[in-house]
């Protein structure tokens, strides 16, 4: 595959298109819509473990998430497409597990939790290549600031009980955003450790 084509954000584009199709063709609160959502009463609905993250309750929520997916997906895929897949998968699994182990929410949809995980992956992708030799902070101060602000935003929303930048038909879910951030942190930590180990093991 030519280098230019291989760098195009195919995975991100596919996610965006699936979110749009779901929103445009599946009416909110219809039986089809609810079958795509994570539902405490239907834990055996394996399709929803993935489809819930591609389904949105309203246009405002959808537009914020699609814009974020376009930016974060482009950043990550231009560096390492596999890292986007791993970050997405880890965030999806972590959020699904969290959903079925909490009692506050009975139904869940939306990509925002996964996007918080991808935010960590994108910041890692943008880090200075000299960071490992000059320390974890130096050269990456702005990236750390963005991460700290993202965590602070989710913590504030958790205690305020509402979202800062979007209004949804259903209650905001900041705890899921924190779970996504944690999943993203685990992915980049393991990825960085593996790359460091492989580099050290190479003669």
């Amino acid at each position: 595959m030519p280098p230019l084509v291989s760098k195009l954000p195919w995975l991100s584009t596919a996610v965006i298109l699936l979110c749009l199709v779901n929103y445009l063709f599946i009416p909110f609160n219809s039986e089809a819509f609810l079958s795509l959502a994570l539902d405490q009463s239907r834990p055996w609905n394996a399709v929803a473990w993935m489809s819930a993250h591609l389904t949105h309750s309203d246009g405002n929520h959808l537009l914020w998430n699609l814009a974020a997916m376009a930016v974060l997906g482009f950043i990550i895929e231009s560096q390492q497409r596999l890292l986007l897949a791993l970050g997405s998968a880890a965030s999806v699994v972590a959020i699904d597990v969290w959903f079925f182990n909490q009692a506050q929410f009975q139904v869940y949809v939306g990509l925002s939790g996964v996007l918080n995980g991808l935010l960590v992956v994108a910041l890692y992708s943008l880090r200075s290549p000299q960071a490992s030799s000059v320390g974890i902070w130096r050269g990456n101060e702005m990236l750390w600031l963005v991460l700290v602000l993202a965590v602070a935003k989710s913590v504030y929303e958790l205690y305020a009980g509402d979202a800062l930048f979007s209004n949804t038909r259903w209650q905001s879910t900041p705890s899921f955003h924190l779970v996504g951030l944690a999943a993203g942190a685990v992915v980049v930590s393991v990825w960085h450790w593996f790359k460091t180990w492989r580099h050290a093991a190479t003669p």
Side-chain angles (χ1 to χ4, degrees):
M1 185 178 293
L4 178 61
V5 175
S6 67
K7 293 295 183 182
L8 293 176
W10 298 115
L11 289 180
S12 307
T13 302
V15 169
I16 289 171
L17 289 175
L18 286 170
C19 288
L20 279 171
V21 168
N22 280 352
Y23 183 75
L24 292 174
F25 295 102
I26 301 178
F28 173 70
N29 256 358
S30 64
E31 184 57 37
F33 179 94
L34 294 175
S35 71
L36 296 178
L38 285 173
D39 189 331
Q40 294 280 8
S41 67
R42 293 188 282 190
W44 59 84
N45 182 9
V47 172
W49 300 347
M50 181 61 203
S51 63
H53 305 278
L54 304 173
T55 306
H56 292 79
S57 61
D58 56 82
N60 180 267
H61 190 205
L62 174 73
L63 290 176
W64 275 103
N65 283 354
L66 294 192
M69 186 69 219
V71 173
L72 297 176
F74 177 79
I75 290 172
I76 301 168
E77 285 198 73
S78 66
Q79 302 293 322
Q80 179 57 258
R81 182 169 288 122
L82 177 59
L83 197 50
L84 176 70
L86 292 174
S88 299
S91 298
V92 165
V93 170
I95 290 166
D96 289 353
V97 170
W98 172 248
F99 174 78
F100 288 112
N101 284 278
Q102 56 80 49
Q104 182 181 6
F105 299 97
Q106 296 303 305
V107 184
Y108 176 86
V109 295
L111 192 61
S112 53
V114 173
L115 288 171
N116 276 270
L118 294 183
L119 172 63
V120 180
V121 177
L123 294 175
Y124 175 79
S125 300
L126 291 171
R127 77 196 188 287
S128 168
Q130 289 79 36
S132 59
S133 61
V134 299
I136 194 170
W137 288 97
R138 291 176 58 191
N140 293 311
E141 292 87 351
M142 289 304 297
L143 302 182
W144 280 103
L145 177 60
V146 171
L147 180 58
V148 169
L149 289 174
V151 173
K153 170 185 173 291
S154 292
V155 171
Y156 170 83
E157 291 176 337
L158 184 64
Y159 284 97
D162 200 7
L164 277 176
F165 301 120
S166 63
N167 295 313
T168 60
R169 287 173 173 170
W170 290 346
Q171 184 181 354
S172 178
T173 57
S175 64
F176 292 77
H177 301 170
L178 288 168
V179 170
L181 287 167
V186 170
V187 167
V188 298
S189 297
V190 173
W191 180 271
H192 187 74
W193 172 84
F194 178 75
K195 286 187 65 178
T196 302
W197 171 81
R198 189 173 65 176
H199 179 74
T202 302

